[in-house]
Amino acid sequence: MTSLILAAALSFQPDLEIKINGLVCASCGIGIKRGFKKEINVLDVKFDTKKQIALIDLAESDSGRVYWIKNTKIIKIIKDAGYEVTSIKRLWNKKPNRYNQP
């Protein structure tokens, strides 16, 4: 069972990190997730409410090219859900970011 959970966690590799003002609980993300799921190239949406960010996993071509969503579309989806975008970060480097303790 643990290996199944680990495999599911490893399969989620976000391509977008969107900072959303007011995203403070899981319920806040329902409208946002619903809006993104309407987009054909969105595979999955996850939230980190402590950091107020949405993580978006996008579809890729066979050659590894990511099918990006335009910033104007991202802003519209989040605004339609009743929230405001603070920043949009495209995650070009898929390697995990690890920080050493000082």
Side-chain angles (χ1 to χ4, degrees), residues 20-21 29 33 44-45 48 52 59 69-70 77-78 81-82 94:
I20 302 169
N21 193 18
K33 190 169 191 171
D44 200 2
V45 180
D48 184 341
Q52 294 187 356
I69 300 174
K70 292 183 180 185
I77 290 170
I78 292 172
K94 296 283 184 134

Side-chain angles (χ1 to χ4, degrees), residues 69-87:
I69 300 174
K70 292 183 180 185
N71 287 355
T72 54
K73 183 68 174 175
I74 293 168
I75 293 167
K76 181 176 179 357
I77 290 170
I78 292 172
K79 188 175 182 180
D80 288 349
Y83 297 92
E84 180 184 358
V85 174
T86 306
S87 67

Side-chain angles (χ1 to χ4, degrees), residues 1-13 44 46 57:
M1 183 66 130
T2 306
S3 62
L4 180 62
I5 294 170
L6 182 60
L10 292 175
S11 67
F12 182 78
Q13 294 183 345
D44 200 2
K46 296 197 186 241
D57 187 17

